[in-house]
Amino acid sequence: MKLDYEIFDLGDFSVQSGATLRDCKLAYKTFGTLNAAKDNVILYPTWYSGQHYENEWLVGEGMALDPAKYFIIIPNMLGNGLSSSPSNYPEPYNGPRFPDITAYDNVRAQHKLVTEKFGIEHIRLVTGWSMGALQTFQWGAQYPDMMDLIAPFCGSAKCSRHNFVFLEGVKAALTADAAWNEGWYTSKPARGLRAAARVYAGWGFSQAFYREKLDLEALGYSSLEDFLVAFWEGFFLPKDANNLLTMLWTWQNGDISANEIYKGDFKAALGAIKAKALVMPGQTDLYFPPEDSQFEVANMPNATFLPIPSIWGHFAGGPGTNPADVKWLDDQLKGLLAS
Amino acid sequence: MKLDYEIFDLGDFSVQSGATLRDCKLAYKTFGTLNAAKDNVILYPTWYSGQHYENEWLVGEGMALDPAKYFIIIPNMLGNGLSSSPSNYPEPYNGPRFPDITAYDNVRAQHKLVTEKFGIEHIRLVTGWSMGALQTFQWGAQYPDMMDLIAPFCGSAKCSRHNFVFLEGVKAALTADAAWNEGWYTSKPARGLRAAARVYAGWGFSQAFYREKLDLEALGYSSLEDFLVAFWEGFFLPKDANNLLTMLWTWQNGDISANEIYKGDFKAALGAIKAKALVMPGQTDLYFPPEDSQFEVANMPNATFLPIPSIWGHFAGGPGTNPADVKWLDDQLKGLLAS
């Protein structure tokens, strides 16, 4: 079977937590053609548990991310099951022994891909949803001279304390299942995955989304319980528990200043982002509320704050769930790319 | 040991779900003295998992709920561990066999207490926080001629779909623990209780509460993790899992119109509330957002909408957690009682 994506070998890849992932793999997919000047590059990292094919809703002919114009690279986050992850990495760093991975590590791996594989020195735009937004901010601070534009949406440059607590609930639900067995499960901890899904369900969409019954009226589920089972449990059950926990750790510890460059000075890291930035939180996002984005924008030299006017909560930003939001987002990205 | 509360024997108490709880008990505590005219009565039901002593923060000399003026009755909700509950009811309706209990059942039990035990025919005020607010609305619709005033705060007359989903997450986390054993646990399902606590932690207080670090600055915890363990896990661990699930069912199925009187016509039930009502949602409450209260007030003939101006989320309304909110709430109740 031919894979629909490529693998870049990162070699011996040392991560911030101290481990070295030998023969570490970065899975990615590209769209379009790199032009001779190598100046038509868009980088578009994945989100929590998402894989590159779940980013494709924002890519297409006539859209802002148009493969006819741009060379679009979607790198899969470490831990997402395609790049090196607890589920696919060989012993002894497999399963729950897979090391903690930071956004810094992810972006460093992506930088190697971009520069070493493709010889790209400059990126037109970095953009991403949710944890993809975290990686977008991270790119802006980690390689500030390397891109013109960043467009993080429904995400933050640092995991807020409230967001951290929300994720503690997801983690606690998943790991309350004895079948999880501290990560040494031999079969899927289904009850824990289903519980994590139900915890997530209240956070993913807004109060107004549920009030307006958009799960039924817009998404076509037959009842609220059908939405919880078919959409939410169906979303979590195919995923590997250790992969989810690895990415959750990455998320909870997201902080663009947690590295040798900025030494924890968050404002300094925000201030160092040179790219023109369009920061688009979801107006009704319950875990990335617009107030956190406002703080970020106020501390960035060249940033615009533009909330997504939607009641779809976090899902206003992806993954293509609401066509009206996709259209709005695509329009903003077109405007940004034309600037 | 003398109990600090009284028990009213409800006799054979049939509930909406069809079961009959024989020798059913209603635990309650009173403050102050019933006057000769029996017209100084305030009824103040308990909240999710709370017991009467956790309502006492709103009762005191010089406060609106002043025992020197009023005869204040705090009835414990069925399922809360003091009134008949899974944890204290004898076989065969014990543990997970304890029947589903509605707000209608609770209010009917309280009505028996008030009328049969005390011969009270009229109540000055019914008030309560959270599920206490649900029971307050329920009183207004179930016995509309019986009281002058109602003051539900941080609660609703019908569980919203989003609130239902939030509770699904709490339930799923608790019941993901194999030690729960479908309710037939022989020792405490501690991991599930701790998981439920962590899920609850993100919902109980607002994003702004965590952003401002009020867990540390106002409540004095030593770290976020200390808050999660000492406050949240400490809050859930002493509680019986089946009791929590019984009250959770009551909450999820809260609907003042779900009875023979209103036959599911929610607007009719709201419209039937004759009492002058002061409806006080928390401005930043994540599971009882002000919008739901606005709908209720718009459909009640004599109601005022007055959000609690606080960033303490659901805990703006109780249980005495933030002194400034207690003062604000007490002031509003004083105004209402003086009207």
Side-chain angles (χ1 to χ4, degrees), chain B residues 111-124:
Chain B
H111 182 263
K112 283 174 77 73
L113 167 71
V114 165
T115 56
E116 296 175 15
K117 167 76 187 174
F118 295 109
I120 292 166
E121 293 176 359
H122 195 79
I123 297 173
R124 178 69 180 144

Side-chain angles (χ1 to χ4, degrees), chain A residues 1 20 49 136 171 192 294 333:
Chain A
M1 192 182 91
T20 295
S49 90
T136 298
K171 183 170 72 177
Q294 276 181 304
L333 291 174

Side-chain angles (χ1 to χ4, degrees), chain A residues 13-22 93 97-101:
Chain A
F13 190 70
S14 297
V15 295
Q16 277 190 304
S17 61
T20 295
L21 290 167
R22 291 160 186 88
Y93 271 125
R97 281 287 186 278
F98 196 78
D100 293 334
I101 302 290

